[in-house]
Structure formats: C-alpha cells, structure tokens
Amino acid sequence: EAFRKSGGHCATEQLRSVTAIMDCGPFAGCFGEAKEGSNSQQVTIETPDRDPCLEKSVESVVVDNSLEPQLFGGWNDAAKADPSDTVKKGGILKRALSNLSMGSTGSKKSVKSSASGSSRGSSKNNFIAKRWSMILDSSVPNLLNNRSIMLKDDERVITFDETNKLGCVNPTSMNDMKDGRPNRLRTTKFTPLTWLPLSLINQFKRVANIYFLFIACLVVWPWSPKNWKSKIFPFVGVLLWTALKDLFEDVRRKLDDDAENTQKTWRLSRGSANEEVGGFEEVNWSQVLVGDMVLVPEDTAFPADLILLHPAGNTEAFISTVMLDGETSLKARKAPSLCEVMSAKCAKQAAQEWQAVQSTQQGAFPSSQLKTQMLKFIQGLRRPGVEFKFPRPTPVLSDVRGTLQPSGNAESELVCPFTEDNFLPRGCVLRNTPFVLAVVLFVGDDTKTRMNASTSKMKFSNMQVNLNNCVRGLLLVLFSMCIVATIISFADQGGLAEDLNNMSEDARNPLIRFFMFCITFYHVVPMSLYVIYEMLKLVLAFQVNSDKQMYDPVRNENAKARTAEIMEEMGQVNFLFSDKTGTLTANEMVFARCHVGDQDLGEFRKAAEGGPGAGVLKAREILESGQTEDPLFKSVLNLFTCLAVCHSVQVNVKGGSDDGKTESELSFSGMSPDEVALVQIADDVGIRFVSRIRKAAGNMSEVVLMGPSTSERKFSVLHELAFSSDRKRMSVIVKHKGGIWCITKGADSIMEGLLSVPFTEACAADLNTFSQQGLRTLIVGMRCIEQAEFDAWSLEYIAARNIIDDTQEAKMAEVGAKLEKGLKFVGVTAVEDRLQDGVPEAISIIKEAGIRLWVLTGDKTETAVDIARSCKLFTETTTMAYATQALDAKDAEDKLLKAHSSLDGKGDTGLVLDGQTLLHALDSQECRKIIYDLGIVSRSCICSRLSPMQKLELVKLVREQNKLAITLAIGDGANDVPMIQGAHLGIAIRGKEGTQAVQASDIAISYFRFLVPLLLCHGRRSYRRVALFLSFYLFKNVALLMCDVWWMFQDKFR
C-alpha cells in the first residue's frame, strides 16, 4: 500500500513485507519516487532526521530470485552464509532494515527486488514474525535476537489478536478466583458465621478465662456453695463485650475494604468477543481482570499490577510509590519498545488528533477524542498479534520480568522484554502524566502490595505472659489445697469424720467435695483482676495521649495510643528497628553551599528572617552582571547550567494566563530529591529549567533553559547515563550549538580520578569543610566530545543497552565510562538531607539507654550510611564492618563471619548490610545466628535495599533468636507495615506517606524525637506501675485466701 501511494508497484511478497513495515517504523511517510526496471524494481526513499545515536549507513538491499540478500555496506559474507534465513526468520533482511535507520540526515537509500521468479511461499506466521521483527528493529536495532529470557516454568500468557480482541488469558484460573472477582480485597478476620466462634476461641487463649469457665460450669449445680448468678452473668458480660469489640474492629476493616474495592477505573469494554470492542467503561476495582486494558488518569491509583503500554506524550510516566516502598521521590516508567513504535504509527496516521490528546484533558475523563485514539492504538497492537508471557508473581519489588512477542509463531525468536521500567504496581499513584494506557498483569492477592502485606495478629505483652504464668501457678496451688482439704475432710480424725453424717448426700461425694472447695477458694484469681488490669492500661494510654511533650503544633495533634494492650512494653525495649525516609529525615533536600571559581560563594540556605541566603544573592549578582569575559562569571554560569541540564527532573507548569498578565509557576519533581534540590537552586539564581520535550526518535529529549536575563538556550540530550551504587555518578551527553558535551556529576571519591587535573588546595579544603558539616557533596565536570568519537561510542553503547541478559548493566557501565574521563572541573555542590529536629540527640540518648538501633531502608547503601553519619548513628570513632553484595549463600556467610571478626571485642561498632546479602543469608539457620550475634556485637546497624518482607524477617530473626528480647519497630509508610506489625511494639510516624502505617500501629507520634519521652518516661512508668499493680493485687488475693484457709481449719473442713 505504501508503494502504491508513492507510485510504485509491489512485485514480490518479500518486498511487500519490507514496504508494509516501513510504513510503521522510522521510514513512515518518507517514500519518494519509484522506478521500474526490466528485471528489478527500485524505490528511492528519504529517511527522516538522523538519530545522532545512530551512525552506520546502508546503500541497498537486494532480494533476488535465489533469495540471497546482499547488503552493500559490509554484510555480503553474512548474507551468503544462510540465504533461507531471510524468509524464515527475518535474518539478514531484518538486520539490513535495522541498519537502514542509521543513515545520515536527508540521505537517500535504494531498495531493490527481483521481479521475476520470486518466491511467494512464506506462511502467514512467518510474515507476522518478519513484520514485528522489522517494526521493532527499525527502532531498537538487534534487540530481539536473543531467546535467553524465554519463560517456560509456570508460564502465564495473555494474547491479543484479531480473534482475541479482549485478551485471551492462560491459564484461565487467574480470573476464576473469588467467584470471578480476583481483584477483590478482603482483610477482615471474620464472616457473619465465624465471628462469634473465632472471637471466643481467641478469648479462651487466656488461662484465666478457661478457669472462669470451669467455675461457671460448677456453680450451676445444686450443691454449689455460691449463687450461680453472681458468677455467670459477669463472665458472660465480659465475653460478650470483648466479642462485640472484635466485631466493631472488623466492621471498620470491612468498610476500608469496600472503599478500596469500589474505587473506579476506566477499562476497555468487555463486550462480545465476536463484536468490535466498543470503548472504555468505568468499573470498580473489584471487577478488573487479568488481561484487561485500563486507562488511568493523573493523580489516580492503579487498580492492579500493570504493564505500561502508552503514556501521554509517548515519553515517560511518573509514579509515586510511597505506599509500596516508602520513597517520596517519583519513579519514571516507559512503554516497551514495541508499544513505542505503535504509538509512532498512530501519531503519523492522525497527527493532529494524536497530539491533541497527549496533554491534560479538560472536562470529563476520558474524552471522546482520547477514547478514539487509544482504541486505534489497541487495534494497531492487535492487528499483527502479540503475546505477553510472564512467570508467577513474587513479593520482590524489583522482580518484574516477561516478554512480548508475535502471537501465532511458537518458534519465533523475536522477543521484546518488559521489566521493572515498564511496571505500574497496584496502589501507586500516577503523577505529572495526564494519562496512561496499561494492561493488567496481576490482580488481588498476586499483586506486589498484597504479597508484601503481612497478616495482622493480636499482640500480647510480656507482662501478660508473666501474668498468665502467675495465674497458672496460683491455680496449681489452689487445686493442690483443694485436694488436701478434700482428703482431710474425709479422714477419721476426731470429730471431723462424724460431721459427714450430717452432710447432704452430694457433699459426701469426694469429687463433689473437691469442686465445692474450688468454688469456695476461686477468688484467688478473681475476674476483677483482668478488668482492673485493662482499666489501668487505659489510664496509661490516656496519659500518653495527653502528654504535651509530644504535641505537634503543625498538625495540632498529640501522640495517640491506638491500643492499650502493650503499654508496659515501651519500658523494656532491647532492639529498635527504624525506617529512614520520613522517619529520621524530613523528606527535604536543601542546597547548602557550593565551591566554584576556586571559592565558596557562601550560605545558600534561607536566612533567619526568611529571605534568600547570601550565596544565592551573590550568584544572582554575578550572573546578572553579564560580564562574559570575567572568569568567575563563566565558572558560575557553567556550574548552574550543568545543574539545570544534568538531571532527570520533570517540570510542571501551573497557573498563568494566555495574555501574559498572570505568570505561571514552575514546580519540579523527579526520582531523586537531590536532583530536585539542584534544579531548584539553579532556578533560584536565575537559570530556569523551563521544559523537557521528548523527541520521537530513540531516547532523545530537548531541555530548554531560560536565563541569565531573558535568553533561551536549548540542549538536545542524546544519552543519559544513570546513577548507580557502583558508578556513583550520573552523566548526560548533550548537543548544544553544534558541539557535543559530556556533563557528569558524582561523588568526590570517584570524580577525582576522572578529572583532567587534581583538586586545588582551596577545593580540597572546602570539600573537607562541607563533609564535616554533614553535607552531601557532588563534583561537577564536563568535556567536549568530537563527532567521530561520539559516533563510534554511540554504536557501542546502543549495543550494550540492547543486551537483555544479566551482563547488560555491567556492559553499559563499562561503555559509559569511556566518555567520562578527562573532565574539566566545574564546581562542587553541597546538599543537606535535612533530618527531623532532634534526631541526633534522640539517637544518642536511645543508644545510651542500652537499646540497639537498626535502621532498615530501601535506599542505596551509600545514601543510608551518609544519613547514619548525619544523625550520629555512626560517629567518627565507630568501627565499621560491611557485609554487602553477596553473590550466594556461601559468599553471604563468609562476609558475615568476616564482619563479626572485625567487630568482636571493639567498643563503638557499626554494621552495614544490604538486601542482596540478606536474601541469601536469611534462608540459612547458621547465617541467621551470625546476623543476630552481629546485632549483639554492634551498637547500631544499617540495612539498605530491603523489601518490606525483608524488614519483617529481620524483626522475626531477633524474636526467634532471643525469646526474652523486646522489639520495637517505627516507620511512616505502607512499606513499614509488616515490620510494625511483626514487632512487639509498633510505632508510626505521621508523615507524607499516607496513613497505612498509622492504621497498623500501636502508637502514632509525629516526630522521631518523641521516642525519648515515650520510651524513657511513659514506658518506664507504665512498666513500673503495671508491675506494682500485679504484685499488689496478687498478694492481696493470696492474703485473702489465707483467711479462708484459716477458717477452713476452724470450721473443721465443712
């Protein structure tokens, strides 16, 4: 069809495959004149603007009678190796089409084909395979020639094609659970039928309740010395009151479940499979099924675990994962390569309509125009057919893997992987993106959120356990006394036996006589003991709730004891497990200082009176002077320009009017709060990051800056080399005014070796000063790159990026490092990761009280250690030991033993672990014992890169290894809920990460520093008061029992 539009004629099926695909890829709409020859056909095409990441060019592709393609440009030998490879698997022809996209700007290529004797025998499946091969390869060269990630074990498949328009799911049991509503959430403990039985079972776990039931059964007999009403009614009242309390709590959970299940989302209408799919319908979350396509608007949570198909603008989507991993910074997500190509095709077919729906929609969502364009995208995806293959879900947050491949070709080697970069977890919220279209991968209990949620269990304090033991001892003494009294009452000793003749017939029975003594002495464990015990705890909880030391004037809230069951536990804590982000820190990054032009510009933090800092004013003055020949002007301009360009931050424009009377406001958001702080300070000094425009080709984008003054500058970002814990730096390759530049920022320990000249004395001195102030420093460097060097490097980097096995990350880092050398020093930045007020002092007091403090976080190891030093968890005198990046269980054990040997016998010690090491170590009982021993040897510990369930496992480890140790867990996000519920005492920080932690906690406070009065004041007092009360009350009842015993002797055991 594309040939006919351009005046050509398609002579062979092979050429028809090629030309049809060209209309979908980067050649879309660029066919020129067509010429006919006697034995061959030739069409001349003009490629669109050249992607600077691609460099090789190809002159022509020939498909002759023998199907031996020859690629004039270096592929001749490879083409002759296996001629049949062209038709069967796309082979050489596919690679040739990939390389066609590497031509120079405006270059002309020729595609030739023999017109006579050509083969027309390729099957439909092979045609589809070749079609997808060329679609994808034209955008992402050499991505698909790898079958190493094909999934076989426990494989799940979702198929979309012309037959299965709504998605065919295999196995179908995924959508049959919970009566056909697998996405329905249920956290209640009871049903109407199980409420009373289960509540009574829980209540009779108390030994005293079993004893009271025993007494209640005895007093109903005629021979009972006590009135049955005085025992039965109070006991039934206590049981019923507790059961109603359990019911009330479960009803609240049911209401929370209903609120979750009835949230709305837009789903592709599930009409008849034989009819054309109509459009999008609004449904409840509980109605969402695996394989559904959903349309999610901005600031809306995802109803299930999804794979992104198309974000607004076909660039990136940003999500907030606060409720999953506790991180407040936004995460970037993108569509798989296959879907990006389909978006490009839709944009070509209806450019104006497509462009119109890529911005925020006004009025009802989704608009009819948006529905129409998304349906076209879905139809374009179904037409050639595609399969999503993925394994069973796992609770590991980063373990997302699967493939997209052509449907209907079981032997196809054409595979497009999807990973965590394409994953949208349930409950996370879409931010700064007007909408996304996604396919449902996991629902209900298979989602990451639910798999990382622990079951809430009733907590009992150690004092409750001790009280139960005391009750058992008292009952043992009571029954012993009753046995002795029964024996003596029937013994022939003087007149005692004669009195039996005057007793009733029932009283003459030894067993009944024993029961009568039990009823008489039952008050040794009175029912009032537990009633007053609970009342005392309520009073202690009220004291916590009304303590002005823990009042938060910002939220106008006091501390809140949500349960009074374990108040006394606060005074016995041995291990304290704390989250980092939002618990120790205030989630605020502030630019503090910088070194540029061989000098420190001063304080950039706000002045005491609230105005800009001296450093901001000085930088503005330098930039506004416009003295382009001044070396200091050039240095300051370069530094803040680099900060405004080298990042992955997104800008949001709010307000403003078309007539210009009202200025718009810019706000910045990104995956790293550090980057946001750096971009914000550049804006403060006059270099404003205005917009980021994603280019259609590859991963290119254009960054637009304003300033100094009113000048506008544009930078084309060709590549972004992301930060990693191994690299400890980030780089962007940009093109500006014809020159190509590498801008790098990173840790001073790494950057020092990448600079062309070493640090000056002034720079080294400022670096040392910034570090001593607890500031996080970055070195900024840059260099100009020659075109030839960049072209050669770009091809190598693309090849590394397209690797889809475990070596990809290492290879990309290796290739990226080739440009990050010989850098020119630009400046030093110092950012303050602001702690909550009073955190260092609180940690110092807690450590002095003998409590071992473990900080468990999902952050990078380096970031966690930096925060640990800032909050005085680790000091300059702390002996550090690391057990990180273990490769297997043996390696984990060796690293743990090495850490133990380095800390054993030392005074002030600190331990650093990470999630990868714990992943291998927690499965081994020997390693679990070593970890606990390390916790005893070290005064404090940092554990980084942990999942929510790993946090819980560490709490369980301590409880298993030491049955007497009391654990406390404190956090502020949903990712901390398993840890909070797993510890003896769970405390939540009211923060910016939702209310899930508060709802799961025993006590809620506003700041970490409130732990000091909570533990050392209320905890100690509660423990002493509860212990004193129990000691007195038990002594009182034993003393009263002795009076009855004495009277028993006086009354001759009657």
Side-chain angles (χ1 to χ4, degrees), residues 876-904:
E876 294 180 358
T877 61
T878 300
T879 302
M880 302 286 295
Y882 288 77
T884 58
Q885 299 296 317
L887 301 177
D888 50 38
K890 182 64 171 63
D891 188 30
E893 183 176 0
D894 292 341
K895 291 187 175 184
L896 291 171
L897 289 172
K898 183 178 179 181
H900 189 280
S901 62
S902 64
L903 297 181
D904 195 16

Side-chain angles (χ1 to χ4, degrees), residues 692-711:
R692 182 191 297 273
I693 304 172
R694 184 69 62 177
K695 294 292 186 65
N699 294 319
M700 291 179 58
S701 63
E702 185 176 73
V703 172
V704 181
L705 305 183
M706 290 292 293
S709 66
T710 59
S711 60

